[in-house]
Amino acid sequence: MPLDAMMAAACALRDAGHGRVQTWSRKVFIPLTQLCRDRCHYCTFAQPPQPGESPYMSREDVLAVARAGAAAGCTEALFTLGDKPELRYSAAREALARMGYATTIDYLIAMCAAVRDETGLLPHVNAGVMSREDMAALREVSVSQGLMLESLSLRLCAKGGPHYRSPDKEPEARLAMLRQAGELRVPFTTGILIGIGETREERIEALEAIAAEHRRYGHVQEVIVQNFRAKARTPMADAPEPDLDDLLWTIAAARLILGPDMNIQAPPNLSADDFPRLIAAGINDWGGVSPVTIDHVNPEAPWPEVTRLRAGTEHAGRSLVARLPAYPAWLGADWQAPAMRRAIMAAGDAQGYARDDMWSPGVALPKRDVVASALSVSPEIADAVQSALAGDALDEEAIVTLFSARDADLEHVCAAADNLRREKKGDAITYVVNRNINYTNICTFKCGFCAFSKGDMAEALRGRPYDLSMDEVIRRTAEAWARGATEVCLQGGIHPHYTGETYINLAKAVRAAVPEMHIHAFSPLEVSQGAKASNLSLEGYLRALKEAGLDTLPGTAAEILDDEVRDVICPDKLTTDEWLEVIETAHRVGFKTTATIMFGHVETPHHWARHLIRIRDLQERTGGFTEFVPLPFIHMEAPMAIKGQARHGPTFREVRLMHAVARLVFNGRIDSIQTSWVKLGEEGVKACLNSGANDLGGTLMNESISRAAGAAHGQEMPPEAMEALIRSIGRVPVQRSTAYGAVAQETHQRGLNAEALTPMIQTPPRKKREGANDKTERFEHAG
């Protein structure tokens, strides 16, 4: 094939497999030792022992490099070292003995673990040809390993060839390691080195061998096409380098042989200013680029700055996306040791790429440098947005496409959502003056995301258990009314001694104490528990709550409406169908409810899409949802995050997208999208109010659940602060009722500049009355 035709075919395959995502890994390069028993004729990395110098980096030096990388936002620690130096050099053997290690690999294992545990960086290991046992041991402390196949040509190992006197370059030894990686389920990087004397036929032979092993095991996560660079003071210093056309031909051949899904990489620093042209041959990855360390294998070739890398990538019509050292498809339990899970979860986003920034919900959003993208909007995103604006019911794949938006696509989705918000709601930003009353934090459920609940009658790590007296509930309600509140939101843990009458008596007591107060109370889980304890149907129990004075229900406990996720984060809670049944029944009885999503932990964009579709479908049947409320997961004190089993909340890109995509998906169905100041802070909610949201939720007065999880945004945003925030972005503040009705001016004025809250009384748990059974009413005096 002519080169142009090959490259066009390769790009078509690449685009079919990867779209326009062009990945790279932000890394530090850790050359643990530059001693090597091999004598490759082109290598300047390998160096003999130097008098007075340690043959190995010390633990302190390794961690210093890793910490510098972590501070610069890196996620990868690339360990590169020579093959088995202790077999050639006594200096290596002596140094290892002094440090207490038998082999270089033993020391490498310890350093990988130290970097992972002390800096959070994810080790990727290039340690030459290793035994099966060594690879298995390294699998426990790294996310991926690598070995360049380079070439299968035996000629190159003969006298006069570049691999002469380099036993670890024997083709069969390297092929055997490639196979072992597959057998051990190790995500593996390999590739070929071109321009060292091999023929094009031999390059094809090597690529076909890689393809065959990958078909067998599925473990080759990337293939590097690396061009030889002549280096001074080497036997090949005067050897000709492959020209750019030869490199482009080989990259295109690799894509045609390896197919659309393979990740194919060519190092940008080895092509100097020509690096953007490599995209046209079919690569989809730039490999590791370091803002901290040089390329120790090719020290004469500096990394391109990230701004240049981005500009060159976007000029070619592709979107630069940072990844982890293991690609998304190789991050699951099938491929990763349990010991690596914590670091992987902390570093990744919902798609399995690297987090865009170090921010997490619950902390203040730092100032962000917005980099304008040179990309146009992709056709897939434009089509999905257009369909949503037309009122079409987007399917799962279209919604997932919207959630994949980055760069220009991200801004297009958010702008479209904001325009739709303006069309539906104008420039009014609404809020409700309310008070949260969490009447108990004792709960029999063990949800992995919850830092609020405490065990029955037991001390817990984060504060004491409490069970409010009815007097305290009524006192807080009356105080809230005096401070301008129109709503109390009542929710709590599932107390083992509460019965169906508990919730009914709560509603009755609040209604009797402050008849004008809107009672927004009881999650679907509490309703389900109350119905079971009362031996009533859901409909019967909901009607009893309505008669007791309940006005509306919060659509909480939804988390993610997909049992794949619920089985992980809340296995003993309501199933998806059970949650939907409670809400649909509530709508049928005449209650309005909200709908929520709690995102940013273990789920993927596919789960988000299914959640939105289930909410949308229910709304089309009942029309009972007043608003949709995205709740970003706050990880700091959440049990599953403490155990390393969850991500560190959604990224800021994902937060913006959740609000924007919800606006688009619910077009014509749910008109109010709320954003949470408790989770996101002022700067975070401003961004969401410019991405499709139109409501700031409640002033809250007391916020317990997010604060227990580690949020630092306070317990109350009073009306004057709400209104100042809204005006700061050029919008019009409007206080609303829970049902989005008007609020009397006198009530509004009462809420402005209200007196400070009096201290809360967190009533400690009380033992059941002597002789009482489990059905005894906890709030018997309230009836």
Side-chain angles (χ1 to χ4, degrees):
M1 294 175 74
L3 179 57
D4 287 350
M6 276 186 68
M7 291 170 62
C11 284
L13 277 178
R14 185 267 319 279
D15 294 348
H18 299 279
R20 67 176 187 178
V21 169
Q22 184 80 12
T23 49
W24 70 294
S25 178
R26 194 184 295 266
K27 73 175 183 184
V28 290
F29 199 130
I30 302 177
L32 192 64
T33 180
Q34 292 187 250
L35 303 186
C36 183
R37 73 165 178 168
D38 297 318
R39 295 175 170 85
C40 301
H41 292 190
Y42 45 77
C43 180
T44 57
F45 176 78
Q47 298 290 329
Q50 300 298 316
E53 294 184 9
S54 172
Y56 295 90
M57 291 179 69
S58 69
R59 186 180 191 277
E60 292 73 21
D61 289 342
V62 167
L63 288 174
V65 172
R67 289 188 179 110
C74 296
T75 57
E76 174 181 350
L78 169 62
F79 282 88
T80 294
L81 52 153
D83 277 82
K84 307 174 186 66
E86 63 270 29
L87 299 184
R88 180 178 177 186
Y89 296 110
S90 60
R93 295 190 293 273
E94 292 164 1
L96 289 169
R98 285 195 299 272
M99 293 188 293
Y101 298 97
T103 68
T104 298
I105 299 299
D106 290 341
Y107 184 49
L108 172 63
I109 291 167
M111 292 304 97
C112 286
V115 165
R116 176 198 64 197
D117 295 342
E118 298 197 27
T119 72
L121 295 190
L122 299 168
H124 170 78
V125 174
N126 290 338
V129 175
M130 293 184 286
S131 70
R132 183 185 184 90
E133 293 71 25
D134 285 343
M135 293 180 71
L138 279 165
R139 187 181 187 275
E140 299 299 313
V141 294
S142 64
V143 296
S144 50
Q145 299 176 37
L147 179 76
M148 292 288 282
L149 188 58
E150 294 196 10
S151 174
L152 292 181
S153 174
L154 287 169
R155 296 182 302 101
L156 303 183
C157 297
K159 189 172 183 179
H163 292 157
Y164 179 59
R165 299 179 69 193
S166 299
D168 298 295
K169 293 302 173 77
E170 291 286 342
E172 190 49 47
R174 299 177 92 75
L175 268 177
M177 184 168 160
L178 181 59
R179 292 190 195 103
Q180 286 174 181
E183 293 165 357
L184 292 168
R185 305 287 286 173
V186 172
F188 206 70
T189 294
T190 190
I192 61 174
L193 178 62
I194 71 169
I196 58 173
E198 81 295 340
T199 65
R200 285 187 170 180
E201 289 81 4
E202 288 169 335
R203 295 177 195 171
I204 291 171
E205 179 188 11
L207 291 168
E208 288 180 335
I210 293 169
E213 296 302 325
H214 181 62
R215 282 193 298 271
R216 186 176 179 186
Y217 298 108
H219 66 304
V220 178
Q221 63 164 0
E222 66 181 344
V223 173
I224 303 171
V225 178
Q226 184 170 329
N227 48 313
F228 160 72
R229 292 289 298 265
K231 297 176 175 61
R233 299 185 301 280
T234 67
M236 295 181 68
D238 298 324
E241 298 179 349
D243 63 21
L244 183 60
D245 281 354
D246 197 19
L247 177 58
L248 295 174
W249 180 92
T250 309
I251 293 170
R255 176 62 69 190
L256 295 176
I257 291 168
L258 295 165
D261 296 327
M262 181 58 70
N263 297 297
I264 296 179
Q265 173 196 134
N269 60 318
L270 300 187
S271 293
D273 292 339
D274 289 326
F275 76 86
R277 294 185 61 188
L278 305 179
I279 292 175
I283 65 169
N284 67 289
D285 185 75
W286 290 120
V289 175
S290 181
V292 176
T293 54
I294 64 170
D295 180 351
H296 289 275
V297 174
N298 299 283
E300 78 287 352
W303 308 113
E305 295 178 353
V306 175
T307 52
R308 283 185 62 222
L309 195 67
R310 184 177 302 281
T313 301
E314 292 188 350
H315 182 73
R318 297 184 63 73
S319 177
L320 189 66
V321 178
R323 61 167 172 84
L324 304 179
Y327 289 76
W330 288 270
L331 291 175
D334 287 351
W335 293 100
Q336 297 295 334
M340 298 308 301
R341 185 176 187 185
R342 174 185 295 275
I344 290 170
M345 297 298 278
D349 70 8
Q351 290 179 282
Y353 294 117
R355 295 182 72 87
D356 299 313
D357 50 45
M358 304 304 290
W359 173 84
S360 289
V363 300
L365 185 71
K367 288 186 178 179
R368 305 173 69 251
D369 295 326
V370 179
V371 180
S373 173
L375 292 171
S376 59
V377 177
S378 67
E380 298 81 7
I381 291 291
D383 289 348
V385 167
Q386 190 58 42
S387 293
L389 293 177
D392 296 343
L394 299 185
D395 63 16
E396 181 177 330
E397 289 307 315
I399 297 172
V400 169
T401 295
L402 291 176
F403 278 126
S404 73
R406 297 172 185 268
D407 303 320
D409 287 346
L410 169 65
E411 299 309 322
H412 180 69
V413 171
C414 291
D418 200 46
N419 289 334
L420 183 59
R421 181 270 312 160
R422 187 175 296 108
E423 175 187 321
K424 298 291 184 182
K425 306 296 288 187
D427 280 337
I429 301 296
T430 50
Y431 70 93
V432 62
V433 178
N434 69 343
R435 184 169 199 168
N436 273 10
I437 302 177
N438 301 121
Y439 36 78
T440 185
N441 62 354
I442 296 170
C443 188
T444 59
F445 287 79
K446 305 297 181 185
C447 301
F449 54 83
C450 182
F452 169 75
S453 67
K454 308 293 182 286
D456 179 26
M457 303 298 185
E459 295 291 340
L461 293 176
R462 293 169 295 276
R464 296 176 178 272
Y466 64 82
D467 184 12
L468 298 187
S469 68
M470 187 61 77
D471 288 344
E472 177 63 9
V473 171
I474 292 171
R475 188 195 69 77
R476 293 188 195 182
T477 301
E479 183 180 39
W481 179 257
R483 299 180 83 246
T486 59
E487 169 198 305
V488 286
C489 180
L490 305 171
Q491 294 184 97
I494 305 301
H495 195 296
H497 303 151
Y498 282 13
T499 70
E501 286 297 307
T502 304
Y503 304 111
I504 289 173
N505 284 349
L506 269 167
K508 286 181 177 178
V510 171
R511 174 63 65 232
V514 186
E516 303 91 340
M517 186 70 82
H518 183 104
I519 304 174
H520 182 64
F522 313 134
S523 72
L525 179 58
E526 291 170 293
V527 171
S528 176
Q529 293 293 111
K532 290 176 184 177
S534 302
N535 292 317
L536 293 174
S537 67
L538 279 173
E539 182 169 337
Y541 187 63
L542 283 161
R543 291 191 183 281
L545 288 171
K546 194 175 189 68
E547 185 178 341
L550 181 63
D551 293 301
T552 56
L553 278 74
T556 49
E559 325 315 351
I560 297 291
L561 292 175
D562 192 291
D563 288 339
E564 285 183 358
V565 176
R566 300 180 80 82
D567 287 347
V568 174
I569 67 172
C570 52
D572 55 351
K573 210 167 188 177
L574 295 178
T575 66
T576 296
D577 287 344
E578 288 169 340
W579 188 93
L580 291 168
E581 181 186 12
V582 173
I583 292 293
E584 186 160 10
T585 305
H587 292 175
R588 186 169 62 248
V589 167
F591 286 112
K592 295 290 187 180
T593 75
T594 62
T596 63
I597 185 172
M598 194 269 293
F599 65 109
H601 35 87
V602 303
E603 80 297 354
T604 71
H606 282 278
H607 299 116
W608 297 343
R610 294 169 199 163
H611 184 105
L612 296 187
I613 288 170
R614 285 167 176 144
I615 294 293
R616 182 189 67 197
D617 290 350
L618 179 54
Q619 180 72 343
E620 288 178 342
R621 293 196 299 273
T622 68
F625 290 120
T626 55
E627 67 210 56
F628 181 72
V629 188
L631 300 172
F633 170 60
I634 295 178
H635 77 282
M636 294 76 154
E637 297 292 337
M640 64 184 183
I642 290 172
K643 296 174 184 176
Q645 297 170 350
R647 297 194 302 278
H648 285 189
T651 67
F652 189 59
R653 179 187 70 87
E654 292 166 347
V655 166
R656 291 181 67 199
L657 277 172
M658 183 59 73
H659 291 78
V661 173
R663 168 66 66 188
L664 295 171
V665 169
F666 296 140
N667 181 17
R669 301 164 179 92
I670 302 175
D671 285 338
S672 282
I673 308 297
Q674 185 181 120
T675 185
S676 171
W677 62 266
V678 173
K679 314 284 188 181
L680 299 174
E682 289 195 15
E683 294 305 313
V685 295
K686 286 179 184 178
C688 293
L689 291 171
N690 286 315
S691 300
N694 66 287
D695 187 78
L696 266 178
T699 59
L700 299 183
M701 298 192 193
N702 303 118
E703 200 294 314
S704 303
I705 296 173
S706 294
R707 291 181 70 250
H713 295 309
Q715 293 196 68
E716 180 180 24
M717 183 179 285
E720 56 269 26
M722 284 270 190
E723 297 191 358
L725 184 157
I726 293 165
R727 291 192 181 97
S728 74
I729 61 171
R731 304 282 175 80
V732 180
V734 176
Q735 184 179 345
R736 62 168 172 86
S737 69
T738 306
Y740 284 80
V743 171
Q745 184 62 26
E746 183 275 331
T747 303
H748 177 65
Q749 287 298 321
R750 196 166 69 244
L752 296 175
N753 302 308
E755 293 185 6
L757 286 164
T758 57
M760 294 187 299
I761 300 171
Q762 301 290 64
T763 315
R766 285 175 283 176
K767 295 180 180 180
K768 288 189 297 181
R769 291 176 300 156
E770 185 177 352
N773 60 35
D774 286 347
K775 298 289 184 180
T776 299
E777 175 49 50
R778 168 64 183 78
F779 288 125
E780 65 276 3
H781 58 279

